[in-house]
Amino acid sequence: MSAGLDGTAQANGADAELSADVPVRIGLGAIVAYIVLACGLAWLVVLPLWLGDGLREPYALPLMSVMMYMPAVAVVVVLLVLRPVPKGKRLRFLGMWPLRPAKRVIWMMVVGLLVPPLLVLASTIVATLCGWLRVDLVGFSGYTHLLASAVPAGTPLPPTVVLIAAQAASIPVAAATINAVAAFGEELGWRGFLVPALRRFGTWASLLVSGVIWGVWHAPIILLGYNFGRTDVSGVLLMTGGCVVLGVLFGWLRLRSASIWPAVFAHGAFNASAAMYLWFVAAGSAPDPALVLPLGVSGWIVGAVVILVLILSGQFRRQPALAADRPRTMPAPFPGPSVDDPRGAGTTADATTGSDPDRS
């Protein structure tokens, strides 16, 4: 027997709900295509720097900002051309929508916004305790000299401590606005697409492999001396180590919330606070970026401690999904008649149980 219109609608709704619960499995071809495209576009965007004067070019910063959006471009191309994710599931797979359950997603956003500056500060303390960073916590002499050299001679400046306090207060605002916008391009690719795509190989494989790829992706600018001032493979290795540590932490935010947005805010907050160590540097010292940067060894130590705490507390085992979308239409108040029943109301779906007596 064929079901009535109401029974067919209910069956279609049940099938759609069941389909929404089936996890999307990304093929290896789509994963490789994304990685090749993201890295290739990054090299293409910064090619003018390699053909010109490197990071000293006046357009270096704009090009690096464009580079940050190449992972997002790669995601869009892969989704449109290879179609590894069904059309109706793309925003959900990427963790962009829906923002439900709202309490969990918002709470993890707050964590992503406020914790990275604390990690950067902790890495500065580690660098100081290890003797890698000589600090001046009274006169802030190094930062005072840096500020004076950045303005014309004789320009009056507020007390350095006031400027530091103002910058510290502005970090959450900058993290949630301009830095989050810039970080979105990378996060859509690395934590939005690549981490869930690699989940087929296990949680830790997805976090570690995506972190390594993220670090290597930075090679076009790292080899020009960006971050560590090293133009050989050692700079790429340092960046890769930092990206693996950060990738695990940002990936935890992604998996724990099932949303991309906590990782976007965390990335923005990290970028907004990464240079905090400059506030405390003593004048005349020359710290090694490989040791004192939050992407360097001191940052690895702090990140490893946090990751260990998360592991011991079972945080990586908690990987919920986003809540289902709310229905877009109101259910019919009364069941409709079967199209096969000339009597009209004789074989309708049961209003109480929602079952269709014609279905066998």
Side-chain angles (χ1 to χ4, degrees), residues 1-353:
M1 295 182 181
S2 66
L5 287 175
D6 189 63
T8 302
Q10 291 180 16
N12 290 340
D15 291 343
E17 184 177 353
L18 179 62
S19 175
D21 293 334
V22 177
V24 176
R25 183 180 175 89
I26 305 298
L28 189 58
I31 295 173
V32 173
Y34 164 75
I35 295 170
V36 171
L37 191 58
C39 294
L41 288 173
W43 276 101
L44 184 63
V45 166
V46 300
L47 183 60
L49 300 182
W50 280 82
L51 299 177
D53 203 17
L55 299 178
R56 287 186 290 273
E57 292 286 359
Y59 49 80
L61 185 58
L63 282 186
M64 288 191 287
S65 299
V66 173
M67 177 183 166
M68 292 180 71
Y69 264 78
M70 291 306 100
V73 173
V75 168
V76 172
V77 172
V78 168
L79 291 181
L80 293 180
V81 176
L82 300 181
R83 301 180 181 178
V85 182
K87 190 173 181 180
K89 294 185 176 182
R90 289 172 183 172
L91 292 180
R92 184 181 181 86
F93 177 83
L94 295 172
M96 296 177 64
W97 190 263
L99 302 181
R100 300 177 53 233
K103 182 178 179 180
R104 183 181 71 207
V105 175
I106 292 174
W107 168 243
M108 296 302 286
M109 286 182 185
V110 173
V111 171
L113 196 61
L114 298 182
V115 171
L118 299 179
L119 299 181
V120 172
L121 182 60
S123 70
T124 302
I125 295 173
V126 168
T128 302
L129 294 177
C130 291
W132 302 330
L133 181 67
R134 188 160 61 88
V135 299
D136 177 4
L137 301 179
V138 178
F140 304 101
S141 54
Y143 196 56
T144 301
H145 177 74
L146 180 64
L147 293 172
S149 64
V151 298
T155 302
L157 291 172
T160 303
V161 67
V162 173
L163 293 176
I164 291 175
Q167 291 183 10
S170 70
I171 285 177
V173 177
T177 53
I178 185 172
N179 282 278
V181 171
F184 173 77
E186 288 192 54
E187 288 307 311
L188 184 65
W190 308 124
R191 260 62 63 180
F193 179 80
L194 190 57
V195 165
L198 292 173
R199 286 277 299 285
R200 58 184 292 186
F201 303 108
T203 295
W204 282 102
S206 69
L207 295 175
L208 296 176
V209 172
S210 63
V212 170
I213 295 170
W214 183 29
V216 173
W217 173 83
H218 287 88
I221 55 175
I222 298 300
L223 291 174
L224 290 174
Y226 188 70
N227 271 350
F228 300 102
R230 304 187 182 204
T231 56
D232 55 20
V233 69
S234 66
V236 178
L237 292 176
L238 285 165
M239 189 67 184
T240 301
C243 285
V244 167
V245 173
L246 276 185
V248 171
L249 295 175
F250 293 173
W252 170 74
L253 288 171
R254 168 69 164 96
L255 298 177
R256 186 67 180 83
S257 66
S259 171
I260 188 181
W261 302 111
V264 169
F265 284 116
H267 196 154
F270 182 85
N271 287 350
S273 59
M276 283 171 56
Y277 77 98
L278 292 174
W279 297 346
F280 311 108
V281 175
S285 63
D288 186 351
L291 299 175
V292 304
L293 282 182
L295 282 168
V297 178
S298 60
W300 301 355
I301 294 172
V302 173
V305 171
V306 175
I307 291 169
L308 180 61
V309 171
L310 293 175
I311 293 173
L312 294 178
S313 59
Q315 287 293 314
F316 287 96
R317 293 195 298 269
R318 302 175 186 175
Q319 299 178 17
L322 290 173
D325 281 319
R326 292 188 176 94
R328 303 293 182 183
T329 58
M330 294 294 291
F334 301 104
S338 168
V339 294
D340 293 339
D341 184 6
R343 298 169 297 173
T347 54
T348 56
D350 185 88
T352 304
T353 64

